Amino acid sequence: MNLAGKNVVYLGGFGGIGEKTCNEILEHRLQALAIFDLTLNEKILTQWQLKYPNTKIFYQKVDITEKSQIEEAYKVAKERLGHFDLVINGMGFLDDRRIVLTLQINLLGVINSCLIALEHMDKSKGGRGGMIVNISSVAGIEPTPIMSVYSASKHGVTAFTRCLAGPFFASSGVSFVTVCPGMTATTLINNMEDRTIYKFDIPPELDANKMKRQSVQVCAKNIVKVVQQAKNGSAWLLDVGELKEIEFPVMWIPPMDS
Ligand SMILES: NC(=O)c1ccc[n+]([C@@H]2O[C@H](COP(=O)([O-])OP(=O)(O)OC[C@H]3O[C@@H](n4cnc5c(N)ncnc54)[C@H](O)[C@@H]3O)[C@@H](O)[C@H]2O)c1
């Protein structure tokens, strides 16, 4: 997608990866950027508004665990912008001791946000199509025992995004893309020992505190590269500064009654 002149909605835009990705996206002469997030970061918002006076930039409060707030935010964005071309579901949460909240934010939040955004974007319902990018994780493509609840939630995001890219939404004109960052230097992954359900000693090869972390800046630049080139259904690994399309093995083809 060529970002120039586009209307973008970024969920979690004031987070570590979100802020840096919005910095990058804004360099592409957007028409508008709507930030949906739990809390407003007034300083960042004002900086963006001053630096990019030709882009309409605004904040809409959303607690992603509340479906009614997601519906309201998209309704307001639609009223203010007329349409949106790109939605990035970039909110997230990591504390495996809070199982319900992890699933509510990481999985249910993404599902609800996608389905509500689709109501506005679906060409077969009068929308203009576009792209929905869901931020999963390397933990959403490989079992990641140190963060097993998070890993389960992110596997759900990967699967759901790839499902939406299948034939049932083909007439929507919306493409669905999965982004899987590796460990990235934000506060999300600080003090991993306090975010795990395990009480025993963590073997060194599973110790997330010892895993290489890429810079947020590089991850953000690669997210923008994905947006610019991704095809419907594609999934992308963004790890230690590199960007690679993921090829999934086919594990099952449904046997059919003849
Ligand atoms: N940092 C990493 O190593 C890493 C690796 C892979 C994937 N990711 C994913 O990237 C995305 C961004 O992560 P990050 O590292 O920038 O984390 P972060 O904690 O810096 O940002 C998380 C964002 O989610 C928002 N959020 C949290 N709870 C919310 C709620 N209830 N309602 C609305 N918004 C809420 C926060 O306000 C924040 O803007 C997440 O989906 C995360 O799972 C991060």
Side-chain angles (χ1 to χ4, degrees):
M1 173 182 280
N2 176 359
L3 284 162
K6 296 296 193 303
N7 291 340
V8 178
V9 176
Y10 200 113
L11 291 91
F14 293 133
I17 293 175
E19 181 199 339
K20 291 281 187 290
T21 307
C22 288
N23 284 344
E24 293 294 327
I25 289 177
L26 281 163
E27 288 293 314
H28 291 263
R29 291 177 288 109
L30 304 183
Q31 179 161 287
L33 174 64
I35 302 292
F36 294 181
D37 211 328
L38 195 55
T39 47
L40 167 65
N41 187 324
E42 211 161 342
K43 193 173 157 211
I44 295 174
L45 184 68
T46 308
Q47 276 170 6
W48 285 337
Q49 287 167 335
L50 291 172
K51 189 168 177 195
Y52 303 98
N54 297 324
T55 301
K56 187 176 194 173
I57 307 172
F58 62 93
Y59 164 72
Q60 186 64 37
K61 180 183 167 54
V62 176
D63 180 344
I64 202 70
T65 67
E66 298 289 336
K67 191 176 173 200
S68 58
Q69 291 192 24
I70 309 172
E71 286 168 336
E72 177 63 16
Y74 277 113
K75 190 167 152 266
V76 170
K78 179 76 175 290
E79 281 163 7
R80 293 185 70 167
L81 304 178
H83 75 281
F84 14 89
D85 306 286
L86 171 66
V87 169
I88 301 183
N89 285 303
M91 62 285 167
F93 179 73
L94 172 49
D95 183 347
D96 273 12
R97 295 163 309 176
R98 304 191 66 187
I99 297 169
V100 173
L101 191 58
T102 301
L103 295 172
Q104 279 178 327
I105 293 173
N106 292 355
L107 182 54
L108 200 53
V110 169
I111 291 174
N112 279 326
S113 173
C114 284
L115 296 180
I116 294 164
L118 251 181
E119 286 297 307
H120 297 284
M121 298 169 80
D122 189 334
K123 277 187 178 170
S124 68
K125 294 180 179 169
R128 296 174 40 148
M131 181 184 280
I132 298 181
V133 175
N134 291 334
I135 303 198
S136 178
S137 168
V138 286
I141 47 173
E142 281 292 334
T144 314
I146 188 71
M147 47 186 103
S148 44
V149 178
Y150 177 87
S151 186
S153 72
K154 290 293 188 177
H155 271 73
V157 171
T158 307
F160 182 70
T161 314
R162 295 177 69 208
C163 284
L164 291 188
F168 296 110
F169 286 108
S171 62
S172 70
V174 177
S175 49
F176 300 91
V177 174
T178 313
V179 166
C180 299
M183 303 291 279
T184 308
T186 71
T187 55
L188 186 90
I189 53 169
N190 281 354
N191 309 321
M192 277 303 303
E193 61 283 3
D194 297 330
R195 300 171 189 259
T196 182
I197 48 176
Y198 302 110
K199 301 271 182 277
F200 48 81
D201 283 344
I202 296 162
E205 70 276 14
L206 297 182
D207 186 347
N209 288 325
K210 297 202 170 86
M211 293 174 190
K212 272 192 183 160
R213 294 170 189 214
Q214 63 184 350
S215 86
V216 189
Q217 189 72 46
V218 169
C219 179
K221 282 185 188 298
N222 280 334
I223 290 174
V224 174
K225 284 185 191 160
V226 169
V227 169
Q228 288 171 322
Q229 65 184 286
K231 295 202 170 53
N232 185 36
S234 61
W236 299 81
L237 180 64
L238 285 66
D239 196 21
V240 287
E242 287 174 11
L243 173 63
K244 191 171 90 179
E245 187 167 356
I246 300 167
E247 284 178 30
F248 290 95
V250 178
M251 308 287 281
W252 178 69
I253 297 172
M256 306 298 273
D257 282 335
S258 50

